[in-house]
Amino acid sequence: MVLRVIEQKIESLFEGIFGRAFRTNVQPVELARKLAKEMDEHRTISVSRVYAPNEYTVYLSPDDREQFSSYEENLKGELQEYLSEHARREDYALLSPVRVLMETDTDLDVGEFGIATRMVQPDRRRAEAGGEPAGEVAPGATMIYKPEAPVPTQAVSAEELGVEAELVTLGFDGTRFEVKQPRVVIGRSRECDIQLPDTNVSRRHAELRQEGASYWIVDLGSTNGVEVNGKRVKRAELSDGDKITVGSTEVTFSRVSR
């Protein structure tokens, strides 16, 4: 909900008489979502933490940069707030507060933009003492985003793709929930994908995530924590038959070939 509120604030910066100008240009809220995507894709798993980049450079075409000229500082502040909240929700560690920079790239067309991420270490001595990842000297490869155009697609089966079909389920209290989406939120709230009537379960307690060919359980900052096979975890990769404890409820993760 907090991220959605920040998105609305980003959108509101450019509403009213300026709205028409952005119909073919880069949309501020699209920048926010792609920045969060880059944060997810460039995270680094350390001994006990998951670190995310703390510096993001956004490259814009001259026309797009000009559109933001009167509001650039406000926009950068909102984008930094959005990324900070995203890092908090995902339980990412940051080496310093998030910083967003903007640059002009004459090779980009209107509506296109690039994002380069960097993990900047403010104090190398502290990193060496604390086991934190060393900061990068130069930014990594720049990901270029172009306006999406709808293209015809055709659904194919797992067999046609050469991938073995799987049945992934979460079982609890005699019921079984079939996992069909890449993210499943577990909690006491009605808004969760799996609602558990357990007073020891937080409103948004944990999330099952598919990452590539793997499934992970992630604690969403719950009060009573998450255990996998009796071990307290913040984030853990799951295998068939693993027992996940949320509150007083035991959930069994199952993953088998169809």
Side-chain angles (χ1 to χ4, degrees):
M1 180 61 70
V2 176
L3 283 180
R4 181 58 190 152
V5 170
I6 299 174
E7 281 185 6
Q8 290 171 345
K9 290 172 65 179
I10 293 172
E11 290 173 328
S12 69
L13 284 174
F14 305 94
E15 287 178 349
I17 62 174
F18 300 100
R20 289 189 291 275
F22 290 94
R23 287 180 182 171
T24 57
N25 292 81
V26 172
Q27 298 288 329
V29 74
E30 181 68 7
L31 285 178
R33 291 167 181 163
K34 288 299 190 291
L35 283 165
K37 179 176 182 288
E38 290 298 305
M39 175 179 278
D40 292 338
E41 293 188 352
H42 290 88
R43 64 187 187 274
T44 299
I45 300 176
S46 186
V47 177
S48 59
R49 294 183 177 181
V50 178
Y51 288 90
N54 54 342
E55 184 177 285
Y56 300 78
T57 302
V58 178
Y59 295 91
L60 299 164
S61 70
D63 287 344
D64 280 320
R65 184 80 185 279
E66 177 62 25
Q67 294 284 347
F68 297 134
S69 60
S70 300
Y71 307 90
E72 188 170 297
E73 289 305 313
N74 285 345
L75 176 58
K76 287 192 293 187
E78 296 291 353
L79 292 174
Q80 287 167 176
E81 183 181 357
Y82 184 86
L83 287 173
S84 298
E85 176 61 23
H86 182 73
R88 189 196 67 77
R89 281 192 61 186
E90 300 296 325
D91 199 28
Y92 295 153
L94 298 170
L95 299 181
S96 67
V98 174
R99 186 183 183 201
V100 175
L101 307 172
M102 288 191 175
E103 300 288 347
T104 301
D105 188 335
T106 56
D107 291 332
L108 294 173
D109 293 328
V110 171
E112 297 179 352
F113 61 94
I115 297 175
T117 65
R118 194 163 67 142
M119 196 175 293
V120 180
Q121 176 56 256
D123 187 342
R124 288 184 178 276
R125 289 172 297 178
R126 182 165 61 86
E128 292 168 0
E132 296 174 351
E136 299 173 10
V137 176
T142 303
M143 173 62 74
I144 301 297
Y145 290 94
K146 298 186 178 183
E148 295 182 2
V151 294
T153 59
Q154 181 178 359
V156 294
S157 66
E159 291 76 10
E160 289 173 312
L161 291 173
V163 179
E164 189 174 14
E166 287 186 319
L167 175 64
V168 178
T169 62
L170 293 172
F172 54 94
D173 295 339
T175 63
R176 189 174 70 167
F177 177 89
E178 186 172 350
V179 177
K180 296 182 179 180
Q181 59 262 41
R183 295 197 174 199
V184 174
V185 177
I186 305 168
R188 195 161 37 86
S189 170
R190 296 180 185 178
E191 298 176 357
C192 294
D193 301 297
I194 296 180
Q195 183 184 9
L196 298 178
D198 181 344
T199 56
N200 293 310
V201 172
S202 298
R203 291 180 59 80
R204 287 173 53 88
H205 197 107
E207 186 174 69
L208 177 71
R209 298 178 188 169
Q210 181 181 7
E211 298 183 3
S214 302
Y215 285 86
W216 295 73
I217 190 71
V218 180
D219 188 345
L220 296 179
S222 65
T223 301
N224 293 316
V226 175
E227 293 183 1
V228 175
N229 299 328
K231 181 180 179 181
R232 187 75 171 258
V233 300
K234 292 293 290 182
R235 171 184 168 92
E237 185 174 3
L238 299 174
S239 300
D240 179 46
D242 279 348
K243 307 293 185 183
I244 307 163
T245 302
V246 290
S248 303
T249 304
E250 185 176 87
V251 180
T252 302
F253 174 77
S254 176
R255 182 181 185 183
V256 296
S257 301
R258 289 184 183 271

